[in-house]
Amino acid sequence: MKRLLTILILSISMVVYSQDMKKPIIDIHLHGYSSIPPNVKASWAGETYAQELTSPQNTEMHLQMVIEEMKKNNIKLGVISSTSVEALTKWKTTAPESFLSGIQTDELGQPILSPDSLKILFEKGEVDILGELGLQYFGLEPDVPMMAPYYKIAEENGIPVCLHTGLGPPGGPHSFAPKFRTTLGKPTLFEPILVKHPNLKAFLAHAGYPYIEETIAMMYIYPKLYADIGVLTWALPVEAFYSTLKHLMDAGFGRRIMFGSDQMMWPGAITIAVKTVEEAPFLSESEKRDILYNNAARFLELDPELISSHHK
Ligand SMILES: [Zn+2]
């Protein structure tokens, strides 16, 4: 009898534990590609992770590996952005319930759709986000004139905007992004846009790291502004990420920080990113839930039915 009782208690605790493990996650910052260079190591992710992270052989494998990583971590929804409309269509048709899509910029730094096309495709549900806007990579400030009609349409139609801020891959200006400038990633450069568009729904990708004081200033003054922690979870020394996240939490933004892996070519970064947040010693369980799911669900204004289906 006693043995039976022990087994019963053990199985109940296992059920509770597995339910706990099954809490849903939203990854607000993913990327999809129309082509991918194989076997590239994430050399800038620090020695430990660079060894683990290698790009897959092709885009199909990349997509499948991201889906596997999402399943493994119970990521119910991922916001995928791309420089290719075809890639976005492919991701969304492969797993329609798992992805929202965002448009990035072309080789000149312009969004890959015109403002009118963005509006039409948003209404059709084929595009969900303006961004990630990597204007900084092209030597452009966020309020460059060509972007004005985009912000206007985004505000009028409730299209969320994701602005790249802060850091980029080390060595970028001397290799793939000659026009990239660190100072163009300062979060306060976004201020003229938020002044002009008080109802714009926007978030700062990478939380403006390392310009965290500017992120705090902006999030304090503009209460609708959110931030994601994309790439910081796996490309920074963990102490640097934790002190940054703690700083933002201490400043009172625990309900506006969103989980994003920014996996880029390396699907394996998703698991590292989730683990890093889960293991943050200063976060309570409810703070983790907010960062990993609730804040993004609120920001994206997800349907309550969809939210409850994610928790089943
Ligand atoms: Zn990104």
Short mmCIF file of all heavy atoms in Angstrom, two decimals, residues 272-305:
data_model
loop_
_atom_site.label_atom_id
_atom_site.label_comp_id
_atom_site.label_asym_id
_atom_site.label_seq_id
_atom_site.Cartn_x
_atom_site.Cartn_y
_atom_site.Cartn_z
N ILE A 272 19.21 27.68 -26.50
CA ILE A 272 20.12 28.40 -25.59
C ILE A 272 19.42 29.65 -25.05
O ILE A 272 19.49 29.97 -23.86
CB ILE A 272 21.43 28.80 -26.33
CG1 ILE A 272 22.14 27.57 -26.87
CG2 ILE A 272 22.35 29.59 -25.39
CD1 ILE A 272 23.31 27.87 -27.81
N ALA A 273 18.71 30.35 -25.94
CA ALA A 273 18.04 31.59 -25.54
C ALA A 273 16.97 31.32 -24.48
O ALA A 273 16.90 32.03 -23.46
CB ALA A 273 17.41 32.25 -26.77
N VAL A 274 16.16 30.28 -24.68
CA VAL A 274 15.11 29.95 -23.71
C VAL A 274 15.75 29.59 -22.37
O VAL A 274 15.35 30.08 -21.31
CB VAL A 274 14.23 28.78 -24.22
CG1 VAL A 274 13.27 28.30 -23.13
CG2 VAL A 274 13.44 29.19 -25.46
N LYS A 275 16.77 28.73 -22.43
CA LYS A 275 17.44 28.26 -21.21
C LYS A 275 18.02 29.43 -20.42
O LYS A 275 17.92 29.49 -19.20
CB LYS A 275 18.55 27.28 -21.64
CG LYS A 275 19.13 26.47 -20.53
CD LYS A 275 19.96 25.31 -21.13
CE LYS A 275 20.71 24.55 -20.05
NZ LYS A 275 21.99 25.15 -19.67
N THR A 276 18.62 30.38 -21.12
CA THR A 276 19.24 31.52 -20.44
C THR A 276 18.20 32.32 -19.66
O THR A 276 18.46 32.74 -18.53
CB THR A 276 19.95 32.44 -21.47
OG1 THR A 276 20.82 31.64 -22.25
CG2 THR A 276 20.77 33.51 -20.78
N VAL A 277 17.02 32.50 -20.24
CA VAL A 277 15.96 33.23 -19.51
C VAL A 277 15.44 32.38 -18.35
O VAL A 277 15.29 32.86 -17.23
CB VAL A 277 14.80 33.63 -20.46
CG1 VAL A 277 13.65 34.25 -19.68
CG2 VAL A 277 15.31 34.60 -21.53
N GLU A 278 15.19 31.11 -18.64
CA GLU A 278 14.66 30.22 -17.59
C GLU A 278 15.59 30.16 -16.38
O GLU A 278 15.14 30.00 -15.25
CB GLU A 278 14.46 28.79 -18.14
CG GLU A 278 13.34 28.65 -19.16
CD GLU A 278 11.95 28.61 -18.52
OE1 GLU A 278 11.83 28.91 -17.33
OE2 GLU A 278 11.00 28.27 -19.26
N GLU A 279 16.89 30.29 -16.63
CA GLU A 279 17.85 30.14 -15.53
C GLU A 279 18.25 31.46 -14.87
O GLU A 279 19.09 31.48 -13.98
CB GLU A 279 19.11 29.41 -16.05
CG GLU A 279 18.81 27.95 -16.39
CD GLU A 279 20.02 27.21 -16.95
OE1 GLU A 279 21.07 27.87 -17.20
OE2 GLU A 279 19.91 25.99 -17.13
N ALA A 280 17.65 32.55 -15.31
CA ALA A 280 18.01 33.85 -14.70
C ALA A 280 17.68 33.83 -13.21
O ALA A 280 16.51 33.67 -12.83
CB ALA A 280 17.25 34.98 -15.40
N PRO A 281 18.68 33.95 -12.36
CA PRO A 281 18.46 33.72 -10.93
C PRO A 281 17.59 34.78 -10.25
O PRO A 281 17.04 34.54 -9.19
CB PRO A 281 19.88 33.72 -10.35
CG PRO A 281 20.72 34.44 -11.34
CD PRO A 281 20.08 34.25 -12.68
N PHE A 282 17.46 35.94 -10.84
CA PHE A 282 16.75 37.05 -10.19
C PHE A 282 15.29 37.16 -10.65
O PHE A 282 14.56 38.04 -10.18
CB PHE A 282 17.49 38.37 -10.49
CG PHE A 282 17.76 38.56 -11.95
CD1 PHE A 282 16.83 39.19 -12.77
CD2 PHE A 282 18.94 38.09 -12.53
CE1 PHE A 282 17.06 39.35 -14.12
CE2 PHE A 282 19.18 38.23 -13.89
CZ PHE A 282 18.23 38.86 -14.68
N LEU A 283 14.88 36.31 -11.60
CA LEU A 283 13.49 36.41 -12.10
C LEU A 283 12.57 35.46 -11.35
O LEU A 283 12.91 34.29 -11.14
CB LEU A 283 13.43 36.04 -13.59
CG LEU A 283 14.08 36.98 -14.60
CD1 LEU A 283 13.91 36.40 -16.02
CD2 LEU A 283 13.48 38.38 -14.55
N SER A 284 11.39 35.96 -10.97
CA SER A 284 10.39 35.08 -10.38
C SER A 284 9.72 34.29 -11.51
O SER A 284 9.88 34.64 -12.69
CB SER A 284 9.35 35.90 -9.63
OG SER A 284 8.57 36.63 -10.56
N GLU A 285 8.97 33.27 -11.14
CA GLU A 285 8.26 32.47 -12.14
C GLU A 285 7.30 33.36 -12.95
O GLU A 285 7.20 33.23 -14.16
CB GLU A 285 7.49 31.32 -11.49
CG GLU A 285 8.35 30.11 -11.20
CD GLU A 285 9.21 29.66 -12.38
OE1 GLU A 285 8.65 29.46 -13.47
OE2 GLU A 285 10.44 29.53 -12.22
N SER A 286 6.61 34.26 -12.26
CA SER A 286 5.64 35.07 -13.01
C SER A 286 6.36 36.09 -13.91
O SER A 286 5.87 36.41 -15.00
CB SER A 286 4.64 35.75 -12.06
OG SER A 286 5.28 36.75 -11.33
N GLU A 287 7.50 36.55 -13.49
CA GLU A 287 8.27 37.46 -14.37
C GLU A 287 8.75 36.70 -15.62
O GLU A 287 8.73 37.25 -16.74
CB GLU A 287 9.47 38.04 -13.61
CG GLU A 287 9.05 39.09 -12.58
CD GLU A 287 10.18 39.50 -11.65
OE1 GLU A 287 11.15 38.73 -11.46
OE2 GLU A 287 10.09 40.61 -11.09
N LYS A 288 9.14 35.45 -15.43
CA LYS A 288 9.56 34.64 -16.59
C LYS A 288 8.38 34.43 -17.56
O LYS A 288 8.53 34.50 -18.76
CB LYS A 288 10.09 33.28 -16.13
CG LYS A 288 11.46 33.34 -15.51
CD LYS A 288 11.90 31.97 -15.03
CE LYS A 288 13.06 32.10 -14.07
NZ LYS A 288 13.39 30.83 -13.40
N ARG A 289 7.20 34.16 -16.97
CA ARG A 289 6.01 33.97 -17.80
C ARG A 289 5.70 35.23 -18.63
O ARG A 289 5.34 35.16 -19.78
CB ARG A 289 4.79 33.64 -16.92
CG ARG A 289 4.74 32.26 -16.35
CD ARG A 289 4.34 31.21 -17.39
NE ARG A 289 5.44 30.79 -18.23
CZ ARG A 289 5.37 30.63 -19.54
NH1 ARG A 289 4.29 30.92 -20.20
NH2 ARG A 289 6.40 30.22 -20.23
N ASP A 290 5.86 36.38 -17.97
CA ASP A 290 5.61 37.64 -18.69
C ASP A 290 6.58 37.80 -19.86
O ASP A 290 6.18 38.09 -20.98
CB ASP A 290 5.75 38.83 -17.73
CG ASP A 290 4.54 38.97 -16.81
OD1 ASP A 290 3.50 38.33 -17.09
OD2 ASP A 290 4.64 39.71 -15.82
N ILE A 291 7.85 37.58 -19.58
CA ILE A 291 8.87 37.78 -20.62
C ILE A 291 8.71 36.73 -21.74
O ILE A 291 8.79 37.05 -22.92
CB ILE A 291 10.29 37.71 -20.01
CG1 ILE A 291 10.50 38.91 -19.08
CG2 ILE A 291 11.36 37.66 -21.10
CD1 ILE A 291 11.77 38.84 -18.25
N LEU A 292 8.45 35.49 -21.34
CA LEU A 292 8.43 34.40 -22.32
C LEU A 292 7.12 34.31 -23.10
O LEU A 292 7.08 33.73 -24.18
CB LEU A 292 8.71 33.06 -21.63
CG LEU A 292 10.15 32.87 -21.14
CD1 LEU A 292 10.24 31.66 -20.21
CD2 LEU A 292 11.13 32.70 -22.30
N TYR A 293 6.05 34.87 -22.55
CA TYR A 293 4.78 34.74 -23.27
C TYR A 293 3.86 35.96 -23.15
O TYR A 293 3.48 36.57 -24.15
CB TYR A 293 4.02 33.49 -22.81
CG TYR A 293 2.78 33.23 -23.62
CD1 TYR A 293 2.80 32.44 -24.77
CD2 TYR A 293 1.55 33.83 -23.26
CE1 TYR A 293 1.66 32.25 -25.54
CE2 TYR A 293 0.41 33.63 -24.03
CZ TYR A 293 0.47 32.84 -25.16
OH TYR A 293 -0.64 32.65 -25.93
N ASN A 294 3.49 36.29 -21.90
CA ASN A 294 2.38 37.24 -21.69
C ASN A 294 2.61 38.61 -22.33
O ASN A 294 1.68 39.20 -22.87
CB ASN A 294 2.14 37.44 -20.19
CG ASN A 294 1.75 36.14 -19.49
OD1 ASN A 294 1.23 35.24 -20.12
ND2 ASN A 294 2.03 36.05 -18.20
N ASN A 295 3.82 39.11 -22.25
CA ASN A 295 4.06 40.46 -22.78
C ASN A 295 3.88 40.51 -24.30
O ASN A 295 3.27 41.44 -24.83
CB ASN A 295 5.47 40.94 -22.40
CG ASN A 295 5.62 41.10 -20.89
OD1 ASN A 295 4.62 41.14 -20.17
ND2 ASN A 295 6.85 41.21 -20.41
N ALA A 296 4.39 39.48 -24.97
CA ALA A 296 4.23 39.44 -26.43
C ALA A 296 2.78 39.23 -26.82
O ALA A 296 2.29 39.82 -27.79
CB ALA A 296 5.11 38.33 -27.02
N ALA A 297 2.06 38.39 -26.04
CA ALA A 297 0.64 38.16 -26.35
C ALA A 297 -0.13 39.47 -26.24
O ALA A 297 -1.00 39.76 -27.07
CB ALA A 297 0.07 37.11 -25.39
N ARG A 298 0.19 40.27 -25.22
CA ARG A 298 -0.47 41.57 -25.05
C ARG A 298 -0.06 42.52 -26.17
O ARG A 298 -0.89 43.18 -26.79
CB ARG A 298 -0.09 42.17 -23.68
CG ARG A 298 -0.89 43.40 -23.30
CD ARG A 298 -0.39 44.04 -22.00
NE ARG A 298 0.05 43.06 -21.03
CZ ARG A 298 1.33 42.85 -20.70
NH1 ARG A 298 2.29 43.56 -21.26
NH2 ARG A 298 1.66 41.95 -19.81
N PHE A 299 1.23 42.58 -26.46
CA PHE A 299 1.72 43.49 -27.50
C PHE A 299 1.10 43.16 -28.86
O PHE A 299 0.68 44.05 -29.60
CB PHE A 299 3.25 43.40 -27.60
CG PHE A 299 3.84 44.22 -28.71
CD1 PHE A 299 4.01 45.59 -28.57
CD2 PHE A 299 4.21 43.63 -29.92
CE1 PHE A 299 4.53 46.36 -29.61
CE2 PHE A 299 4.73 44.40 -30.96
CZ PHE A 299 4.89 45.76 -30.80
N LEU A 300 1.01 41.87 -29.17
CA LEU A 300 0.47 41.44 -30.47
C LEU A 300 -1.05 41.42 -30.49
O LEU A 300 -1.66 41.14 -31.53
CB LEU A 300 1.01 40.05 -30.84
CG LEU A 300 2.51 39.95 -31.11
CD1 LEU A 300 2.96 38.49 -31.14
CD2 LEU A 300 2.90 40.65 -32.41
N GLU A 301 -1.64 41.70 -29.32
CA GLU A 301 -3.11 41.68 -29.17
C GLU A 301 -3.69 40.36 -29.67
O GLU A 301 -4.62 40.33 -30.49
CB GLU A 301 -3.74 42.87 -29.90
CG GLU A 301 -3.29 44.21 -29.31
CD GLU A 301 -3.91 45.40 -30.04
OE1 GLU A 301 -5.13 45.40 -30.27
OE2 GLU A 301 -3.16 46.32 -30.39
N LEU A 302 -3.12 39.26 -29.18
CA LEU A 302 -3.61 37.95 -29.60
C LEU A 302 -5.01 37.71 -29.08
O LEU A 302 -5.37 38.15 -27.99
CB LEU A 302 -2.67 36.84 -29.07
CG LEU A 302 -1.24 36.81 -29.58
CD1 LEU A 302 -0.55 35.54 -29.11
CD2 LEU A 302 -1.16 36.92 -31.10
N ASP A 303 -5.76 37.01 -29.88
CA ASP A 303 -7.12 36.65 -29.53
C ASP A 303 -7.12 35.77 -28.26
O ASP A 303 -6.31 34.85 -28.16
CB ASP A 303 -7.68 35.85 -30.72
CG ASP A 303 -9.15 35.67 -30.61
OD1 ASP A 303 -9.87 36.54 -31.10
OD2 ASP A 303 -9.58 34.66 -29.99
N PRO A 304 -8.03 36.06 -27.30
CA PRO A 304 -8.06 35.25 -26.08
C PRO A 304 -8.20 33.75 -26.35
O PRO A 304 -7.65 32.92 -25.63
CB PRO A 304 -9.28 35.79 -25.32
CG PRO A 304 -9.49 37.16 -25.85
CD PRO A 304 -9.01 37.17 -27.25
N GLU A 305 -8.94 33.41 -27.41
CA GLU A 305 -9.09 31.98 -27.74
C GLU A 305 -7.76 31.36 -28.16
O GLU A 305 -7.46 30.23 -27.82
CB GLU A 305 -10.09 31.81 -28.89
CG GLU A 305 -11.51 31.67 -28.39
CD GLU A 305 -12.48 31.50 -29.52
OE1 GLU A 305 -12.14 30.85 -30.52
OE2 GLU A 305 -13.59 32.05 -29.39
#
